[in-house]
Coordinates of all heavy atoms in Angstrom, one line a residue:
M195 N 65.0 186.0 139.0 CA 66.0 185.1 139.6 C 65.5 183.5 139.4 O 64.4 183.3 139.5 CB 66.2 185.2 141.1 CG 66.9 186.4 141.5 SD 67.7 186.1 143.0 CE 68.7 187.5 143.1
G196 N 66.6 182.8 139.0 CA 66.3 181.3 138.7 C 66.7 180.6 139.9 O 67.4 180.9 140.8
T197 N 66.1 179.4 139.9 CA 66.5 178.4 140.9 C 68.0 177.9 141.0 O 68.5 177.3 141.8 CB 65.5 177.2 141.1 OG1 65.6 176.6 139.8 CG2 64.1 177.7 141.3
L198 N 68.6 178.2 139.8 CA 69.9 177.6 139.6 C 71.0 178.8 139.4 O 72.2 178.6 139.0 CB 70.1 176.7 138.4 CG 69.2 175.4 138.4 CD1 69.4 174.7 137.2 CD2 69.7 174.5 139.6
D199 N 70.7 180.0 139.9 CA 71.5 181.1 139.9 C 72.9 180.7 140.6 O 72.9 180.1 141.6 CB 71.0 182.3 140.5 CG 69.8 183.0 139.8 OD1 69.7 182.6 138.6 OD2 69.1 183.7 140.3
G200 N 74.0 181.0 139.9 CA 75.3 180.7 140.4 C 75.8 179.4 140.2 O 76.9 179.0 140.5
K201 N 75.0 178.5 139.6 CA 75.5 177.2 139.3 C 76.0 177.0 138.0 O 75.6 177.9 137.0 CB 74.3 176.1 139.5 CG 73.6 176.0 140.9 CD 74.5 175.6 141.9 CE 73.8 175.5 143.2 NZ 74.6 175.2 144.3
V202 N 77.0 176.1 137.8 CA 77.5 175.9 136.5 C 77.1 174.3 136.0 O 77.4 173.4 136.8 CB 79.0 176.1 136.5 CG1 79.6 175.6 135.2 CG2 79.3 177.4 136.9
A203 N 76.8 174.4 134.8 CA 76.4 173.0 134.3 C 77.1 172.6 132.9 O 77.4 173.6 132.2 CB 74.9 172.9 134.0
V204 N 77.4 171.3 132.7 CA 78.0 170.8 131.5 C 76.9 169.9 131.0 O 76.3 169.0 131.6 CB 79.3 170.1 131.7 CG1 79.7 169.3 130.5 CG2 80.4 171.0 132.1
V205 N 76.5 170.0 129.7 CA 75.6 169.2 129.1 C 76.3 168.6 127.9 O 76.6 169.4 126.9 CB 74.3 170.0 128.6 CG1 73.2 169.1 128.1 CG2 73.6 170.7 129.8
L206 N 76.3 167.3 127.8 CA 76.9 166.6 126.7 C 75.8 166.1 125.7 O 74.7 165.8 126.2 CB 77.7 165.4 127.2 CG 78.9 165.8 128.1 CD1 79.5 164.5 128.8 CD2 79.9 166.6 127.4
G207 N 76.1 166.0 124.5 CA 75.0 165.6 123.5 C 74.0 166.6 123.2 O 72.8 166.4 123.1
A208 N 74.5 167.8 123.1 CA 73.6 169.1 123.0 C 73.6 169.7 121.6 O 73.2 170.8 121.4 CB 74.0 170.1 124.0
S209 N 73.9 168.9 120.6 CA 74.0 169.5 119.2 C 72.8 169.4 118.4 O 72.8 170.1 117.3 CB 75.2 168.9 118.5 OG 75.1 167.6 118.3
A210 N 71.7 168.7 118.7 CA 70.6 168.5 117.9 C 69.5 169.5 118.4 O 69.0 169.3 119.6 CB 70.1 167.1 118.0
P211 N 69.1 170.4 117.7 CA 68.1 171.4 118.1 C 66.8 170.8 118.7 O 66.1 171.5 119.5 CB 67.8 172.3 116.8 CG 69.1 172.1 116.0 CD 69.5 170.7 116.3
R212 N 66.4 169.6 118.3 CA 65.2 169.0 118.9 C 65.6 167.9 119.8 O 64.6 167.1 120.3 CB 64.3 168.5 117.8 CG 63.6 169.6 117.1 CD 62.5 169.2 116.1 NE 62.5 169.9 114.9 CZ 62.2 169.4 113.8 NH1 61.6 168.3 113.6 NH2 62.3 170.2 112.7
G213 N 66.7 167.9 120.3 CA 67.2 166.8 121.1 C 67.2 167.1 122.5 O 66.9 168.2 123.0
T214 N 67.4 166.1 123.4 CA 67.3 166.2 124.8 C 68.3 167.0 125.4 O 68.0 167.8 126.3 CB 67.3 164.8 125.4 OG1 66.3 163.9 125.0 CG2 67.3 164.8 126.9
G215 N 69.5 166.9 124.9 CA 70.7 167.7 125.3 C 70.5 169.2 125.2 O 70.6 169.9 126.0
W216 N 70.0 169.5 124.0 CA 69.7 170.9 123.7 C 68.6 171.4 124.5 O 68.8 172.5 125.2 CB 69.2 171.0 122.2 CG 69.0 172.4 121.7 CD1 68.1 173.3 122.0 CD2 69.8 173.0 120.6 NE1 68.3 174.4 121.2 CE2 69.3 174.3 120.4 CE3 70.9 172.6 119.8 CZ2 69.8 175.2 119.4 CZ3 71.5 173.4 118.9 CH2 70.9 174.7 118.7
A217 N 67.5 170.8 124.8 CA 66.5 171.1 125.6 C 66.9 171.3 127.1 O 66.6 172.3 127.8 CB 65.3 170.2 125.5
K218 N 67.7 170.4 127.6 CA 68.3 170.4 128.9 C 69.1 171.8 129.0 O 69.1 172.3 130.1 CB 69.1 169.3 129.2 CG 68.3 168.0 129.3 CD 67.5 167.9 130.6 CE 66.8 166.5 130.7 NZ 65.8 166.4 131.8
A219 N 69.9 172.0 128.1 CA 70.9 173.1 128.1 C 70.0 174.4 128.3 O 70.3 175.4 129.0 CB 71.8 173.2 126.9
E220 N 69.0 174.4 127.4 CA 68.1 175.7 127.4 C 67.3 175.9 128.8 O 67.2 176.9 129.3 CB 67.1 175.7 126.3 CG 67.5 175.8 124.9 CD 66.6 175.7 123.9 OE1 65.6 174.9 123.9 OE2 66.6 176.5 122.9
T221 N 66.9 174.8 129.3 CA 66.1 174.7 130.6 C 67.2 175.2 131.8 O 66.8 176.0 132.6 CB 65.6 173.4 130.9 OG1 64.7 173.1 129.9 CG2 64.9 173.3 132.2
L222 N 68.3 174.6 131.7 CA 69.3 174.9 132.8 C 69.7 176.4 132.8 O 69.7 177.1 133.7 CB 70.5 174.1 132.7 CG 70.3 172.7 133.1 CD1 71.5 171.8 132.6 CD2 70.3 172.5 134.6
S223 N 69.8 177.0 131.5 CA 70.1 178.4 131.3 C 68.9 179.2 131.8 O 69.1 180.2 132.5 CB 70.5 178.6 129.8 OG 70.7 180.0 129.6
A224 N 67.8 178.8 131.4 CA 66.6 179.7 131.8 C 66.4 179.7 133.3 O 65.8 180.7 133.9 CB 65.3 179.0 131.2
Q225 N 66.9 178.7 134.0 CA 66.8 178.5 135.5 C 67.9 179.4 136.1 O 68.1 179.3 137.3 CB 66.8 177.1 136.0 CG 65.5 176.4 135.6 CD 64.2 177.2 136.3 OE1 64.3 177.5 137.5 NE2 63.2 177.4 135.7
G226 N 68.8 180.0 135.3 CA 70.0 180.7 135.8 C 71.4 180.1 135.9 O 72.3 180.8 136.3
A227 N 71.5 178.8 135.4 CA 72.8 178.3 135.3 C 73.6 178.8 134.2 O 73.0 179.1 133.1 CB 72.7 176.8 135.2
K228 N 74.9 178.8 134.4 CA 75.8 179.0 133.4 C 76.1 177.6 132.8 O 76.4 176.8 133.5 CB 77.1 179.7 133.8 CG 76.9 181.0 134.5 CD 78.1 181.6 135.1 CE 77.8 183.0 135.7 NZ 78.6 183.4 136.8
V229 N 76.0 177.6 131.4 CA 76.1 176.3 130.8 C 77.2 176.2 129.7 O 77.3 177.0 128.9 CB 74.7 176.0 130.1 CG1 74.7 174.6 129.5 CG2 73.6 176.1 131.1
V230 N 77.9 175.0 129.9 CA 78.9 174.6 128.9 C 78.3 173.5 128.1 O 77.9 172.5 128.8 CB 80.3 174.2 129.5 CG1 81.2 173.8 128.5 CG2 80.7 175.4 130.4
V231 N 78.2 173.5 126.8 CA 77.6 172.6 126.0 C 78.6 171.7 125.2 O 79.6 172.4 124.7 CB 76.4 173.1 125.0 CG1 75.2 173.6 125.8 CG2 77.0 174.1 124.2
G232 N 78.5 170.5 125.0 CA 79.4 169.7 124.3 C 78.8 168.6 123.4 O 77.7 168.2 123.8
A233 N 79.4 168.2 122.3 CA 79.0 167.3 121.4 C 80.1 167.1 120.4 O 81.0 167.9 120.2 CB 77.7 167.5 120.8
R234 N 79.9 166.1 119.5 CA 81.0 166.0 118.4 C 80.9 167.1 117.4 O 81.9 167.3 116.8 CB 80.8 164.6 117.9 CG 81.2 163.5 118.8 CD 81.1 162.2 118.2 NE 79.7 161.9 117.9 CZ 79.3 160.9 117.2 NH1 80.2 160.0 116.5 NH2 78.0 160.7 116.9
S235 N 79.7 167.6 117.2 CA 79.6 168.5 116.0 C 79.6 170.0 116.7 O 78.6 170.4 117.4 CB 78.1 168.3 115.3 OG 78.0 167.0 114.8
L236 N 80.6 170.8 116.4 CA 80.7 172.0 117.0 C 79.9 173.1 116.5 O 79.4 173.9 117.3 CB 82.3 172.4 116.9 CG 82.7 173.7 117.6 CD1 82.4 173.5 119.1 CD2 84.1 173.9 117.4
E237 N 79.6 173.1 115.2 CA 78.8 174.2 114.6 C 77.5 174.4 115.3 O 77.0 175.4 115.7 CB 78.7 174.0 113.0 CG 79.9 174.4 112.4 CD 80.7 175.7 112.8 OE1 80.0 176.7 112.8 OE2 82.0 175.5 113.1
P238 N 76.6 173.3 115.4 CA 75.3 173.5 116.0 C 75.5 173.9 117.6 O 74.7 174.7 118.1 CB 74.6 172.2 115.9 CG 75.5 171.2 115.3 CD 76.7 172.0 114.9
L239 N 76.5 173.4 118.1 CA 76.8 173.8 119.5 C 77.0 175.4 119.7 O 76.6 175.9 120.6 CB 78.2 173.1 120.1 CG 78.0 171.6 120.5 CD1 79.4 171.2 120.9 CD2 76.9 171.5 121.6
K240 N 77.7 175.9 118.7 CA 77.9 177.3 118.8 C 76.7 178.1 118.6 O 76.5 179.2 119.4 CB 78.9 177.7 117.6 CG 80.3 177.3 117.8 CD 81.1 177.7 116.5 CE 82.6 177.3 116.6 NZ 83.4 177.6 115.5
L241 N 75.7 177.6 117.9 CA 74.4 178.3 117.9 C 73.7 178.2 119.1 O 73.1 179.2 119.6 CB 73.5 177.6 116.7 CG 74.0 177.7 115.3 CD1 73.1 176.8 114.4 CD2 73.9 179.1 114.8
L242 N 73.7 177.0 119.8 CA 73.1 176.9 121.1 C 73.9 177.8 122.1 O 73.1 178.5 122.9 CB 73.1 175.4 121.6 CG 72.6 175.1 122.9 CD1 71.2 175.7 123.1 CD2 72.7 173.7 123.3
A243 N 75.1 177.6 122.2 CA 75.8 178.6 123.1 C 75.5 180.0 123.0 O 75.4 180.7 124.0 CB 77.4 178.3 123.0
D244 N 75.4 180.5 121.7 CA 75.1 181.9 121.4 C 73.7 182.2 122.0 O 73.4 183.3 122.7 CB 75.2 182.2 120.0 CG 76.6 182.4 119.4 OD1 77.5 182.5 120.4 OD2 76.8 182.4 118.2
K245 N 72.9 181.2 121.8 CA 71.4 181.6 122.2 C 71.3 181.5 123.6 O 70.5 182.4 124.3 CB 70.7 180.3 121.7 CG 69.1 180.4 122.0 CD 68.3 179.3 121.4 CE 66.9 179.4 121.7 NZ 66.1 178.2 121.2
I246 N 72.0 180.7 124.4 CA 72.0 180.8 125.9 C 73.0 181.5 126.7 O 72.9 181.5 127.9 CB 71.8 179.3 126.4 CG1 73.1 178.5 126.1 CG2 70.6 178.6 125.8 CD1 73.2 177.1 126.8
G247 N 73.9 182.1 125.9 CA 75.0 182.8 126.6 C 75.9 181.9 127.2 O 76.5 182.1 128.3
G248 N 76.2 180.8 126.6 CA 77.1 179.7 127.2 C 78.3 179.5 126.5 O 78.6 180.3 125.7
I249 N 79.0 178.4 126.7 CA 80.2 178.1 125.9 C 80.0 176.8 125.2 O 79.5 175.7 125.9 CB 81.3 177.9 127.0 CG1 81.5 179.3 127.7 CG2 82.7 177.5 126.3 CD1 82.5 179.2 128.9
A250 N 80.6 176.7 124.0 CA 80.5 175.5 123.2 C 81.9 174.7 123.2 O 82.9 175.5 123.0 CB 80.1 175.7 121.8
V251 N 81.9 173.5 123.5 CA 83.2 172.8 123.5 C 83.0 171.4 122.8 O 82.1 170.7 123.1 CB 83.8 172.5 124.9 CG1 85.0 171.7 124.8 CG2 84.0 173.8 125.7
R252 N 83.8 171.2 121.8 CA 83.7 169.9 121.0 C 84.1 168.8 122.0 O 85.2 168.9 122.7 CB 84.6 169.9 119.9 CG 84.4 168.6 119.0 CD 85.4 168.4 117.9 NE 85.0 167.2 117.1 CZ 85.3 166.0 117.6 NH1 85.7 165.9 118.8 NH2 85.0 164.9 116.9
C253 N 83.2 167.8 122.1 CA 83.5 166.7 123.1 C 82.9 165.4 122.6 O 81.7 165.4 122.3 CB 82.8 167.0 124.4 SG 83.2 165.8 125.6
D254 N 83.7 164.4 122.3 CA 83.3 163.1 121.9 C 83.3 162.3 123.3 O 84.4 162.0 123.8 CB 84.2 162.5 121.0 CG 83.9 161.1 120.5 OD1 83.1 160.4 121.2 OD2 84.3 160.7 119.4
V255 N 82.3 161.8 123.8 CA 82.1 161.2 125.0 C 82.8 159.8 125.1 O 83.1 159.3 126.2 CB 80.7 161.0 125.6 CG1 80.0 162.4 125.9 CG2 79.8 160.2 124.8
S256 N 83.2 159.3 124.0 CA 83.9 158.1 123.9 C 85.4 158.3 124.1 O 86.1 157.3 124.2 CB 83.6 157.3 122.6 OG 84.2 158.0 121.5
K257 N 85.8 159.5 124.2 CA 87.2 159.9 124.4 C 87.4 160.5 125.8 O 86.9 161.6 126.0 CB 87.6 160.8 123.3 CG 87.6 160.1 121.9 CD 88.1 160.9 120.9 CE 88.0 160.2 119.6 NZ 88.3 161.0 118.4
E258 N 88.1 159.8 126.7 CA 88.2 160.3 128.0 C 88.9 161.8 128.0 O 88.4 162.6 128.9 CB 89.1 159.3 128.8 CG 89.3 159.8 130.3 CD 90.0 158.8 131.1 OE1 90.2 157.7 130.6 OE2 90.4 159.1 132.2
D259 N 89.8 162.0 127.2 CA 90.5 163.3 127.2 C 89.5 164.4 126.9 O 89.6 165.5 127.4 CB 91.7 163.3 126.2 CG 92.8 162.5 126.7 OD1 93.0 162.2 127.9 OD2 93.7 162.3 125.8
D260 N 88.6 164.2 125.9 CA 87.5 165.2 125.6 C 86.6 165.5 126.8 O 86.3 166.6 127.1 CB 86.7 164.6 124.4 CG 87.3 164.8 123.2 OD1 88.5 165.0 123.0 OD2 86.6 164.5 122.1
V261 N 86.3 164.4 127.6 CA 85.4 164.7 128.7 C 86.2 165.4 129.8 O 85.6 166.4 130.4 CB 84.8 163.4 129.3 CG1 84.1 163.5 130.5 CG2 84.1 162.5 128.2
V262 N 87.4 165.2 130.0 CA 88.2 165.9 131.0 C 88.4 167.4 130.4 O 88.2 168.3 131.3 CB 89.6 165.2 131.1 CG1 90.6 166.1 131.8 CG2 89.5 163.9 131.7
D263 N 88.5 167.5 129.2 CA 88.8 168.9 128.6 C 87.5 169.8 128.8 O 87.7 171.0 129.1 CB 89.1 168.9 127.1 CG 90.6 168.4 126.9 OD1 91.4 168.4 127.9 OD2 90.9 168.0 125.7
I264 N 86.4 169.3 128.7 CA 85.1 170.0 128.8 C 84.9 170.4 130.2 O 84.5 171.5 130.6 CB 83.9 169.4 128.2 CG1 82.8 170.4 128.0 CG2 83.3 168.2 129.0 CD1 81.6 170.0 127.2
A265 N 85.3 169.5 131.2 CA 85.2 169.8 132.6 C 86.2 170.9 132.9 O 85.8 171.9 133.7 CB 85.5 168.6 133.5
K266 N 87.3 170.8 132.4 CA 88.4 171.8 132.6 C 87.9 173.2 132.0 O 88.2 174.2 132.6 CB 89.7 171.5 131.9 CG 90.4 170.4 132.7 CD 91.8 170.1 132.0 CE 92.5 169.1 132.8 NZ 93.8 168.7 132.0
A267 N 87.3 173.2 130.9 CA 86.7 174.5 130.4 C 85.6 175.1 131.2 O 85.7 176.4 131.5 CB 86.1 174.2 128.9
A268 N 84.9 174.3 131.9 CA 83.8 174.8 132.8 C 84.6 175.5 133.9 O 84.3 176.6 134.5 CB 82.9 173.8 133.2
L269 N 85.5 174.7 134.5 CA 86.3 175.3 135.7 C 87.1 176.5 135.3 O 87.1 177.5 136.1 CB 87.2 174.1 136.2 CG 86.5 172.9 136.8 CD1 87.6 171.9 137.1 CD2 85.8 173.3 138.1
K270 N 87.7 176.6 134.2 CA 88.5 177.8 133.8 C 87.6 178.9 133.5 O 87.9 180.1 134.0 CB 89.4 177.4 132.5 CG 90.1 178.6 132.0 CD 90.9 178.2 130.8 CE 91.8 179.4 130.4 NZ 92.5 179.2 129.2
S271 N 86.5 178.7 132.9 CA 85.6 179.9 132.6 C 84.8 180.4 133.7 O 84.5 181.6 133.9 CB 84.6 179.5 131.4 OG 85.3 179.1 130.3
Y272 N 84.3 179.4 134.6 CA 83.3 179.8 135.6 C 83.8 179.4 137.1 O 83.1 179.8 138.0 CB 82.0 179.0 135.4 CG 81.4 179.4 134.1 CD1 81.1 178.5 133.1 CD2 81.1 180.7 133.7 CE1 80.5 178.9 131.9 CE2 80.5 181.2 132.6 CZ 80.2 180.2 131.6 OH 79.6 180.5 130.5
G273 N 84.9 178.7 137.2 CA 85.5 178.5 138.5 C 84.9 177.3 139.3 O 85.3 177.1 140.5
R274 N 83.9 176.6 138.7 CA 83.2 175.6 139.4 C 82.4 174.7 138.4 O 82.3 175.0 137.2 CB 82.3 176.0 140.4 CG 81.2 176.9 139.9 CD 80.4 177.7 141.0 NE 79.6 176.7 141.8 CZ 79.1 177.0 142.9 NH1 79.1 178.2 143.4 NH2 78.4 176.1 143.6
L275 N 82.0 173.5 138.9 CA 81.1 172.7 138.1 C 80.1 172.0 139.1 O 80.6 171.2 139.9 CB 82.1 171.6 137.3 CG 81.2 170.6 136.5 CD1 80.2 171.3 135.5 CD2 82.2 169.7 135.7
D276 N 78.8 172.2 139.0 CA 77.9 171.8 139.8 C 77.0 170.7 139.2 O 76.5 169.8 139.9 CB 76.9 173.0 140.3 CG 77.8 174.1 141.0 OD1 78.4 173.9 142.0 OD2 77.8 175.1 140.3
I277 N 76.7 170.8 138.0 CA 75.7 169.9 137.3 C 76.3 169.3 136.1 O 77.0 170.0 135.3 CB 74.5 170.7 136.9 CG1 73.8 171.4 138.1 CG2 73.5 169.7 136.2 CD1 72.9 172.4 137.9
A278 N 76.2 168.0 135.9 CA 76.6 167.3 134.6 C 75.4 166.5 134.1 O 74.8 165.7 134.8 CB 77.9 166.4 134.9
V279 N 75.2 166.7 132.8 CA 74.1 166.1 132.2 C 74.7 165.3 131.0 O 75.4 166.0 130.1 CB 73.0 167.0 131.6 CG1 72.0 166.2 130.8 CG2 72.5 167.6 132.8
N280 N 74.6 164.0 130.8 CA 75.0 163.2 129.7 C 73.8 162.8 128.8 O 73.1 161.8 129.2 CB 75.8 162.0 130.1 CG 76.3 161.3 128.9 OD1 76.4 161.8 127.8 ND2 76.9 160.1 129.1
A281 N 73.6 163.5 127.8 CA 72.4 163.3 126.9 C 73.0 162.8 125.6 O 72.2 162.7 124.6 CB 71.6 164.5 126.7
A282 N 74.3 162.3 125.7 CA 74.9 161.8 124.3 C 74.4 160.4 124.0 O 74.4 159.7 124.9 CB 76.4 161.9 124.4
G283 N 74.0 160.3 122.8 CA 73.6 158.9 122.4 C 74.8 158.1 122.0 O 75.5 158.7 121.0
V284 N 75.0 157.0 122.5 CA 76.2 156.2 122.0 C 75.6 154.8 121.6 O 75.0 154.1 122.4 CB 77.2 156.0 123.1 CG1 78.3 155.1 122.8 CG2 77.7 157.4 123.5
A285 N 76.0 154.4 120.5 CA 75.4 153.1 119.9 C 76.5 152.0 120.3 O 77.6 152.3 120.2 CB 75.2 153.1 118.4

């Protein structure tokens, strides 16, 4: 049992295998959370989602509709949203 069992997390900026978002998603999942990962690049997100048993959603944090959509995906899939992590780098 993990300390986050039953919790649902959204992690933005999770498409780089050595990046902060990817690591946060792995950690949250290892602690028992269900994780929805988002970033602009969908293909690496799918790899991460498969690895952690989560959901991948394309999300550009500079677009409000994308951010709303990823929150809706978490709510639709898991019925709640407890944790939000923004690890997306924006220049």
Side-chain angles (χ1 to χ4, degrees):
M195 288 215 171
T197 58
L198 297 176
D199 288 344
K201 301 294 183 184
V202 176
V204 168
V205 180
L206 301 173
S209 64
R212 290 191 217 152
T214 302
W216 188 291
K218 294 285 186 191
E220 287 180 321
T221 300
L222 289 164
S223 176
Q225 290 298 317
K228 295 174 181 153
V229 183
V230 179
V231 292
R234 291 182 297 168
S235 300
L236 188 57
E237 290 308 313
L239 284 178
K240 289 179 182 178
L241 296 173
L242 174 58
D244 287 345
K245 181 178 180 182
I246 64 173
I249 297 170
V251 177
R252 188 187 178 290
C253 181
D254 180 341
V255 297
S256 70
K257 297 181 180 173
E258 184 177 347
D259 288 345
D260 283 8
V261 176
V262 170
D263 288 345
I264 196 168
K266 285 180 179 178
L269 293 170
K270 181 179 179 184
S271 298
Y272 299 120
R274 61 189 295 163
L275 176 55
D276 303 293
I277 301 164
V279 176
N280 182 11
V284 179

